[in-house]
Amino acid sequence: MRRRRHALFLLFFLPGVATSSWVTRTPDIRDRLEASTAQMGWILFGLSLGSMIGILLSGRLTSRYGTRPVIVTGTLTIIASLALISAGVLLASVPLVTAGLAGFGAGIGAGDVAANVDAADVERATGATTLPTLHGCFSLGTVAGACAGIAATATRLPVHWHLAAVTLLSAAIFLYAARSVPAGTGLGTPGGSGTAGPRPAVWKDGRLLLIGAIVLAMALAEGAANDWLPLLMVDGHGLGTAAGSLVYAGFAAAMTAGRFAGTYFLDRFGRTAVIRASAVSGALGLLLVIFSDSALLAGAAVLLWGLGAALGFPVALSAAGESGPDETARVSLVAVIGYVAFLVGPPGLGFLGEHWGLRAAMLVVLGFVVSAAFLAPAVDTRRPAAVPPAR
């Protein structure tokens, strides 16, 4: 079990490094491709399309083959897609970069949903709160990748060489970690062939849908920063590319700190209070980033944004697993909602940003985060459901 947990730590860390490595270079990628904000939205739509394919297939594939093959295939797809993005940047090819992002999204969509199912199984088996720490490893990966991205930007290292190095590092991490993930977890879960017994209608569970709404809001806040924060600070607040990457690194560091400290606050104050405080923190940070004309204040407010977005996803996954029978089906449903928001929602902000500006587009994210503060009691699975099942 210890080796399994360590493997999951690395397999959560790897997508974080990969994601932040290209996110921190998005201003350089945009310039290399000579793309407008709307065109970048279309390029990121490749990420959305791949993500939807991976997300929609993940539950069925996990049910049929177990979490291990899906995690392995998804991670390999991430690594291969990084190489394709690198080649696309080298050749200044929009189709190659878009195809690479589509593969990247498919790998994360499939692999991370399966990894969350595996992590929920570890949490159930050990009886210890594990998901916030595991998601903290993803955030730690984003910090490491962002720091490397800042250094690469400051030294004007070409994007294609930077991403090629990240590809090799990701391959090494994968080869070390994948062998410790056991086979058989998740087999026969609802949604795939071989399911034992009738499939419970988890999507009709009112509490579970409220938990899903919380995940949607908080994952959108995280995904919006991952896709747009460097460009938001460069185009919206006039910072240089290296400074924009530095602000993103601050966001990633705040998320990492929030997730690693999350277990203490959850044990002390409970899920409802933590989610409500997270939503307030995230909303305050977004308000300052959107409306402040001070680049320094906006950069500092990003820390509140990061702290606010840190615990929504992992806490909601834990609550989903405890919300009723068939833990795997419930975790899978909420994870799918979260990844749809995380990967599919942010590209739509690019289309809004083309007409209103990226700062104004973030008002959509702000509205969702505010709603999470009111929905927070849904994650307290020790209380009776506050709503009847949806019909």
Side-chain angles (χ1 to χ4, degrees), residues 4 57-74 110-119 121 181-195 328 332:
R4 182 183 179 186
L57 290 177
S58 182
R60 186 171 295 275
L61 291 173
T62 299
S63 173
R64 184 166 185 176
Y65 301 108
T67 56
R68 176 182 166 84
V70 181
I71 292 171
V72 167
T73 303
D112 277 17
V113 170
N116 275 290
V117 171
D118 206 88
D121 184 70
V181 178
T185 304
L187 283 172
T189 58
S193 58
T195 301
T328 302
S332 295

Side-chain angles (χ1 to χ4, degrees), residues 18-362:
T19 298
S20 64
S21 293
W22 70 264
V23 168
T24 54
R25 303 306 300 271
T26 48
D28 293 321
I29 293 173
R30 187 265 312 269
D31 294 343
R32 174 69 175 166
L33 299 178
E34 299 181 348
S36 67
T37 300
Q39 288 171 329
M40 282 298 292
W42 280 111
I43 291 168
L44 289 171
F45 181 72
L47 178 68
S48 301
L49 180 63
S51 302
M52 283 302 302
I53 293 171
I55 287 167
L56 292 175
L57 290 177
S58 182
R60 186 171 295 275
L61 291 173
T62 299
S63 173
R64 184 166 185 176
Y65 301 108
T67 56
R68 176 182 166 84
V70 181
I71 292 171
V72 167
T73 303
T75 307
L76 284 173
T77 303
I78 292 171
I79 294 168
S81 299
L82 272 176
L84 186 59
I85 295 169
S86 176
V89 173
L90 173 63
L91 299 173
S93 170
V94 170
L96 278 182
V97 172
T98 304
L101 286 174
F104 190 88
I108 286 187
D112 277 17
V113 170
N116 275 290
V117 171
D118 206 88
D121 184 70
V122 170
E123 193 169 71
R124 178 195 57 76
T126 61
T129 302
T130 303
L131 278 162
T133 303
L134 287 170
H135 283 261
C137 289
F138 174 87
S139 296
L140 183 62
T142 64
V143 172
C147 289
I150 292 168
T153 301
T155 59
R156 298 186 178 181
L157 178 69
V159 175
H160 59 276
W161 288 120
H162 174 201
L163 295 183
V166 175
T167 301
L168 293 175
L169 173 65
S170 299
I173 293 173
F174 166 75
L175 290 173
Y176 177 80
R179 57 189 177 182
S180 297
V181 178
T185 304
L187 283 172
T189 58
S193 58
T195 301
R199 174 176 181 166
V202 293
W203 55 271
K204 293 183 179 179
D205 186 315
R207 181 194 291 278
L208 191 64
L209 293 180
L210 292 179
I211 294 172
I214 292 171
V215 161
L216 189 151
M218 305 307 273
L220 179 61
E222 180 181 354
N226 280 340
D227 276 9
W228 292 110
L229 187 53
L231 280 175
L232 175 62
M233 298 308 297
V234 170
D235 294 349
H237 287 283
L239 296 182
T241 54
S245 296
L246 182 62
V247 170
Y248 173 74
F251 172 86
M255 284 204 64
T256 303
R259 283 175 168 170
F260 281 115
T263 300
Y264 169 80
F265 288 101
L266 287 166
D267 291 342
R268 185 175 179 87
F269 300 106
R271 289 174 181 164
T272 298
V274 167
I275 290 296
R276 185 166 286 147
S278 296
V280 170
S281 174
L284 180 58
L286 279 160
L287 272 171
L288 292 172
V289 170
I290 293 167
F291 292 108
S292 173
D293 290 326
S294 167
L296 181 61
L297 180 58
V302 164
L303 301 178
L304 292 174
W305 182 355
L307 284 173
L311 291 173
F313 205 150
V315 170
L317 287 177
S318 294
E322 297 175 3
S323 63
D326 207 322
E327 173 190 9
T328 302
R330 292 171 177 274
V331 171
S332 295
L333 176 62
V334 172
V336 165
I337 293 171
Y339 281 109
V340 167
F342 180 76
L343 297 168
V344 179
L349 297 173
F351 303 115
L352 296 177
E354 181 70 13
H355 300 287
W356 300 346
L358 283 175
R359 286 169 65 175
M362 293 299 152

